[in-house]
Amino acid sequence: MLLKLYFVEKRKFELDKLNNIIVLIPPQNGLGDNIMFSYYIHDLLNSKENLEVYIVSPYYDFWKTLNYENLHIIQIPKSTVGLYETLKANNKPFDLAVVPSSYIQHLYALFLIKAKYKICYDPLDLVFGKSKFSILSNLNVKDCNAYDLHDSFYGELLGNLLRCCGFFVNEKIPKLKNISDYKLSSQKIVVLFVYSKDKLREIPGYFWSNLCYSIIQLGYEVLILYDDEAKTYSQNLIASLNNAVKGLYTDSIERTIQILNSAYAVICPDGGVLHISLLSKVEKIVAFFTVVEPKHRIPKTVYTNKKIKTIKIEGPELKNILSKFSSNYASIFEYHPKLVEFHIKTYKEEIERHFKENEKKYIKEIMEFLKCAE
């Protein structure tokens, strides 16, 4: 199958004859990744009249919030086997198949899609740890740029492939369907999302506690937002604060956007809620980053209408620990799960030490940011 990718016969590519495109977003990509890819959908759908775009993704709830008539979602389970089974059952032919991935298990899906043209990234670039991913396709096109791991927004994995096909796409905040604002009790509510399912993105609980008290002393109200996965952790934190802060449950992306639309600010670790907040109306965002650089996760276009404070948790010892179980990429954080488990205790201890050392500094920066241009 891999040899077919390298030696497939190139076909003359005719952009003007393209009527539909299928974009395969692998099941291992999280909600944040899906949102980052969505920044190229607006220009894509507006680049050609009556172009039909099909998104293959497990995150149906996100894609259905976008307001585009010609955007269709093919929902898949969060497993590679589920992806294969869904594609096998889909008999619809497509003009172009795009896979913004360089993983072999995802590229195999290309052979299950009935499409005249197919395009993806070279998996050997990932295997050999190269800093740039070159392009594989059966399109007869020239001047395709490789994706730069160290100097690119993550969503560019898709944007770059689309430009290679001749589409003029830039980062654009996608249009959301009309979502009403949630009626919060005050205009000075700071929303915190304190949970992270990724152990490498966790922020120590005591820091959240001290941050909550500091925000309250500044004259704001604190609302801890949580979903099913974050419920137990968040409610335990609320209880430890003697109910000085309130909690609010969200059961959907739409409801999360509703709540954030009415918030004064939001504070969270890098993850799905961060990316949802970038699409919402909230104007002030504080985000903690541990394993990746903010520039690889936040598109430049959102800075035009939001004030964003990024806090990068880094240091020589943390980088040394990360290097023991990761490939040390930038925009793509590639790591070995079994090695993570082996080093996670040491990693958490260093994160704890780092926060104790920098806690006052971080809280001061956040307080100044919240007060700025109030």
Side-chain angles (χ1 to χ4, degrees):
M1 288 296 183
L2 183 59
L3 288 174
K4 284 185 179 181
L5 284 174
Y6 288 102
F7 299 108
V8 66
E9 182 182 352
K10 301 292 182 182
R11 295 180 174 181
K12 182 181 179 182
F13 184 64
E14 298 174 290
L15 180 61
D16 59 324
K17 292 184 179 180
L18 232 59
N19 294 310
N20 59 43
I21 298 174
I22 182 169
V23 178
L24 193 160
I25 300 177
Q28 285 77 13
N29 284 92
L31 172 60
D33 297 345
N34 277 255
I35 295 176
M36 284 186 275
F37 290 137
S38 76
Y39 283 87
Y40 300 90
I41 294 301
H42 185 86
D43 276 359
L44 174 62
L45 284 164
N46 285 279
S47 63
K48 192 175 184 296
E49 191 175 358
N50 298 322
L51 181 67
E52 303 287 334
V53 175
Y54 293 77
I55 302 292
V56 179
S57 168
Y59 290 92
Y60 175 82
D61 286 346
F62 162 65
W63 289 100
K64 75 173 183 179
T65 65
L66 302 191
N67 190 22
Y68 300 99
E69 287 185 6
N70 296 348
L71 182 65
H72 313 278
I73 306 107
I74 300 174
Q75 187 173 12
I76 57 173
K78 291 183 181 179
S79 71
T80 303
V81 173
L83 165 66
Y84 296 160
E85 290 175 345
T86 303
L87 293 178
K88 283 179 181 178
N90 191 319
N91 293 317
K92 181 177 176 60
F94 298 94
D95 295 327
L96 171 65
V98 181
V99 182
S101 172
S102 58
Y103 289 91
I104 287 290
Q105 66 266 36
H106 304 148
L107 303 190
Y108 174 75
L110 278 172
F111 301 99
L112 304 175
I113 299 173
K114 296 176 182 177
K116 183 177 181 181
Y117 303 110
K118 301 179 181 182
I119 188 167
C120 62
Y121 287 102
D122 191 335
L124 291 183
D125 293 340
L126 179 67
V127 172
F128 294 127
K130 293 184 179 179
S131 61
K132 292 185 178 182
F133 290 168
S134 55
I135 289 166
L136 290 178
S137 74
N138 66 344
L139 287 66
N140 189 15
V141 293
K142 297 179 180 178
D143 303 322
C144 286
N145 294 320
Y147 174 81
D148 191 334
L149 279 161
H150 298 290
D151 197 31
S152 296
F153 169 56
Y154 183 84
E156 268 285 283
L157 276 166
L158 176 59
N160 189 49
L161 290 180
L162 293 174
R163 283 191 289 272
C164 183
C165 297
F167 292 101
F168 294 97
V169 293
N170 292 306
E171 294 170 7
K172 293 280 176 62
I173 298 174
K175 287 193 304 180
L176 297 179
K177 291 177 181 174
N178 187 30
I179 299 175
S180 60
D181 299 348
Y182 185 87
K183 295 187 185 301
L184 293 174
S185 59
S186 165
Q187 293 183 337
K188 298 189 72 175
I189 288 183
V190 178
V191 173
L192 271 63
F193 192 85
V194 298
Y195 178 77
S196 177
K197 65 179 180 180
D198 187 340
K199 294 178 182 179
L200 300 175
R201 289 183 167 92
E202 284 182 0
I203 306 300
Y206 71 84
F207 177 81
W208 289 122
S209 297
N210 293 336
L211 178 61
C212 285
Y213 285 127
S214 297
I215 294 172
I216 293 168
Q217 288 173 2
L218 198 62
Y220 298 97
E221 292 182 40
V222 174
L223 179 66
I224 294 182
L225 186 66
Y226 57 85
D227 54 18
D228 286 325
E229 198 168 24
K231 185 175 181 178
T232 300
Y233 181 88
S234 302
Q235 288 184 339
N236 286 341
L237 178 63
I238 293 169
S240 73
L241 292 166
N242 298 315
N243 296 311
V245 303
K246 295 179 181 178
L248 186 60
Y249 171 71
T250 177
D251 60 356
S252 69
I253 293 170
E254 287 188 22
R255 181 171 168 81
T256 301
I257 292 174
Q258 281 183 324
I259 295 166
L260 296 178
N261 279 348
S262 302
Y264 174 74
V266 60
I267 305 174
C268 58
D270 174 28
V273 172
L274 165 64
H275 293 284
I276 294 173
S277 70
L278 297 177
L279 299 180
S280 75
K281 296 177 186 175
V282 68
E283 294 183 358
K284 289 192 174 187
I285 300 170
V286 179
F288 290 91
F289 288 82
T290 54
V291 298
V292 292
E293 295 292 332
K295 69 177 182 179
H296 299 310
R297 288 293 183 265
I298 301 177
K300 293 178 182 178
T301 185
V302 301
Y303 285 93
T304 58
N305 60 357
K306 293 188 186 298
K307 297 179 179 68
I308 301 174
K309 170 73 177 174
T310 60
I311 298 176
K312 184 72 169 70
I313 312 306
E314 59 185 349
E317 186 55 33
L318 272 174
K319 286 186 176 180
N320 179 50
I321 296 169
L322 286 170
S323 68
K324 293 177 180 178
F325 54 76
S326 74
S327 301
N328 205 26
Y329 292 138
S331 53
I332 295 177
F333 183 66
E334 176 70 12
Y335 61 86
H336 306 285
K338 289 184 179 179
L339 289 178
V340 169
E341 292 300 323
F342 184 77
H343 292 287
I344 195 66
K345 184 175 182 292
T346 308
Y347 175 81
K348 283 187 172 183
E349 287 173 351
E350 180 58 23
I351 286 287
E352 291 266 346
R353 188 200 65 77
H354 183 92
F355 266 91
K356 285 179 180 175
E357 189 176 290
N358 294 279
E359 180 181 19
K360 290 182 179 179
K361 171 190 162 188
Y362 290 156
I363 290 179
K364 181 181 178 182
E365 288 178 1
I366 293 171
M367 296 304 104
E368 290 176 352
F369 177 75
L370 292 178
K371 291 187 295 182
C372 180
E374 190 175 273

